[in-house]
Amino acid sequence: MHDPHSERMSPVELKAAGGLSLVFAFRMLGMFMVLPVLATYGQDLAGSTPALIGLAIGAYGLTQAVLQIPFGMLSDRIGRRPVIYVGLLIFAAGAVLAANADSIWGVIAGRVLQGAGAISAAVMALMSDLTREQHRTKAMAMIGMSIGLSFAVAMVVGPLLTRAFGLSGLFWATAAMALLGILIIAGLVPRSAGPLQHRESGVARQALRATLRHGDLLRLDAGIFVLHAILMASFVALPISLVEQGGLPREEHWWVYLVAMLVGFFGMLPFIIYAEKKRQMKRVLTGAVLVLLFCELYFWQVGHSLMALVIGAILFFTAFNLLEASLPSLISKVSPAGGKGTAMGVYSTSQFLGAALGGILGGWLMQVGGLDGVFIGCALLCALWAIIAVTMREPPYVTSLRLPLSPTAMADAGLTERLLAVPGVADAVVVAEEAALYIKVDTEQLDRTSLERLVEPAPAC
């Protein structure tokens, strides 16, 4: 039996975290690989227009946004694995449909079906079932890293695969990755005892209303909505700009994205460290939004040569990577105790809705206003986000904990009030049906002795 309080992840936890991170990475790789190529290669499809290409780029976000939370709740009732298997099969079917399409409408239908395989919440919930409390943040960070890495790889591999095998070959590769994900779940990911009721990893109906009325959470939801809208809209215009303004054939775009992603990744790291160490998250977030605004104006006014476009892409992806990494951390800090799972569910839904709107809006702006129309539209969205970001309060620098409670502690009616009086405790809530305490603490100010004296842990099973 593995020591339940061990500081190291057990072999079972490592297998679960590694396997589920791979499943996430393959699925997101399949979703993202289309971005750098659809605006150029999509022009060869029957019936294609800039507006319809934009719709194809963002279409997956519509079904993903609508189905993600219901799929997560369904996995609480019928189990995680059936939902994940069905979701990956739907995703693969969408890829096959797009691979066999000879018109833009066929690709749109395939992308819509791909998005319907909305397994994100179920995968996160399975991760929670298979990891102990003290290691869950590490496991979730592994998934976050796999998503970031898959995006970077997709920017390079997408153009290379499409150059070698065409757009249909790209979608066939996507279908194969979804089926590989099923094999990983079946063969590598350990079995869990059953779904855990856990407010930090899934959407809790009880926390939904408070989440939707929380001002700073709504600001962050608006932020991820705008970020992914700008990303999708920019990918309607940037590949075409590289061809028309930069004179770079579409087969050679991969190296631009490779340079931009590599420099962008290392460029963001000092700002992430500064934001956390110096507790300046709001300043860094607002600064990154202003850099995005500058990038869109730069593409509009200056991006008329290959060198200018490469410099713009490096700045864009530095700001994008910084924001993509910072926003989930802010959601974790700002959400009420016991409300992180629900807050992340609403946040993810906002992200997918933003992707859908960005593709549709970018395509329409391209059709009516050309490249300038897209870059001006994105700049206006950035300006709106900058106004929203400035009004946000500096987030609390806290860590979320979930502590099992003994029957004696559960029976203590005044426990929450006494916990809130402990120095360093920012928020606390007792959830009776889980026999657990959700608490948010500032580790630099926490009086650990007082906390431990108040909370008598439940005996280990």
Side-chain angles (χ1 to χ4, degrees):
M1 184 74 183
H2 194 81
D3 177 9
H5 303 295
S6 169
E7 289 303 311
R8 292 186 176 182
M9 293 178 81
S10 71
V12 168
E13 289 172 319
L14 286 169
K15 277 180 74 175
L20 292 173
S21 295
L22 271 178
V23 170
F24 240 114
F26 284 140
R27 184 172 165 279
M28 300 314 285
L29 190 60
M31 204 69 91
F32 291 142
M33 282 195 301
V34 175
L35 294 185
V37 298
L38 204 50
T40 50
Y41 285 85
Q43 294 171 358
D44 302 337
L45 294 164
S48 75
T49 65
L52 292 179
I53 287 173
L55 177 58
I57 286 174
Y60 81 93
L62 289 171
T63 39
Q64 186 93 348
V66 170
L67 294 174
Q68 189 207 197
I69 289 177
F71 267 39
M73 290 179 169
L74 183 63
S75 78
D76 290 337
R77 300 185 61 176
I78 68 170
R80 316 296 188 205
R81 286 171 187 266
V83 169
I84 295 170
Y85 289 145
V86 169
L88 286 170
L89 285 172
I90 292 171
F91 183 81
V96 170
L97 179 60
N100 286 297
D102 53 10
S103 74
I104 189 66
W105 286 107
V107 171
I108 290 168
R111 292 282 283 172
V112 168
L113 191 56
Q114 277 187 309
I119 61 166
S120 303
V123 171
M124 289 291 198
L126 181 57
M127 181 75 91
S128 290
D129 296 344
L130 290 166
T131 52
R132 287 165 295 158
E133 198 67 45
Q134 65 267 39
H135 299 306
R136 200 157 291 135
T137 303
K138 289 181 221 168
M140 295 301 180
M142 285 174 71
I143 284 186
M145 286 165 60
S146 77
I147 295 171
L149 188 61
S150 69
F151 180 76
V153 171
M155 292 299 101
V156 180
V157 173
L160 288 172
L161 266 178
T162 312
R163 181 171 77 171
F165 305 108
L167 207 50
S168 65
L170 183 73
F171 283 115
W172 281 116
T174 298
M177 281 188 275
L179 297 177
L180 189 56
I182 291 174
L183 294 177
I184 291 169
I185 293 286
L188 183 63
V189 176
R191 299 265 163 190
S192 64
L196 290 178
Q197 292 303 309
H198 196 299
R199 284 196 178 197
E200 296 289 67
S201 61
V203 174
R205 287 187 183 87
Q206 309 94 311
L208 202 50
R209 179 177 289 185
T211 300
L212 294 173
R213 296 171 65 178
H214 193 296
D216 281 339
L217 283 177
L218 290 176
R219 286 178 176 86
L220 296 171
D221 294 335
I224 196 64
F225 177 93
V226 172
L227 182 63
H228 278 258
I230 290 166
L231 179 71
M232 296 300 159
S234 295
F235 271 112
V236 173
L238 191 55
I240 292 171
S241 204
L242 285 170
V243 172
E244 294 183 359
Q245 312 270 28
L248 188 68
R250 63 188 186 181
E251 293 82 11
E252 301 297 325
H253 288 191
W254 64 271
W255 69 261
V256 175
Y257 299 120
L258 177 62
V259 170
M261 292 304 297
L262 277 175
V263 178
F265 174 76
F266 289 106
M268 74 156 182
L269 291 177
F271 297 101
I272 291 277
I273 294 165
Y274 169 76
E276 288 287 355
K277 294 279 187 190
K278 301 294 185 183
R279 302 196 165 193
Q280 295 288 346
M281 291 289 285
K282 180 183 174 182
R283 177 183 291 182
V284 169
L285 176 84
T286 309
V289 175
L290 292 173
V291 171
L292 269 191
L293 171 58
F294 169 79
C295 287
E296 297 298 339
L297 295 172
Y298 174 91
F299 284 135
W300 170 40
Q301 286 294 312
V302 184
H304 306 312
S305 69
L306 182 57
M307 182 57 71
L309 287 167
V310 171
I311 291 168
I314 288 170
L315 280 173
F316 179 90
F317 281 112
T318 302
F320 174 83
N321 289 336
L322 177 57
L323 289 162
E324 186 80 350
S326 300
L327 286 168
S329 170
L330 282 164
I331 289 280
S332 181
K333 292 181 193 317
V334 169
S335 58
K340 186 168 73 175
T342 307
M344 284 303 299
V346 175
Y347 170 87
S348 296
T349 300
S350 304
Q351 174 180 324
F352 295 125
L353 283 173
L357 176 83
I360 294 165
L361 182 65
W364 177 76
L365 287 171
M366 187 74 181
Q367 191 149 318
V368 300
L371 291 169
D372 288 354
V374 178
F375 294 135
I376 293 168
C378 288
L380 289 172
L381 279 175
C382 287
L384 177 64
W385 186 9
I387 293 167
I388 292 169
V390 166
T391 64
M392 186 180 82
R393 290 172 296 182
E394 189 69 44
Y397 289 84
V398 291
T399 301
S400 299
L401 300 173
R402 178 184 183 272
L403 304 171
L405 292 178
S406 68
T408 309
M410 285 294 299
D412 184 350
L415 177 62
T416 305
E417 287 73 17
R418 283 200 295 281
L419 282 166
L420 291 172
V422 173
V425 174
D427 195 8
V429 61
V430 174
V431 179
E433 57 266 31
E434 295 179 35
L437 168 72
Y438 289 92
I439 190 167
K440 306 198 83 162
V441 299
D442 184 330
T443 52
E444 290 187 7
Q445 299 177 11
L446 180 64
D447 182 345
R448 290 183 181 276
T449 308
S450 299
L451 178 63
E452 287 165 6
R453 196 180 299 125
L454 281 172
V455 180
E456 180 190 348
C461 301

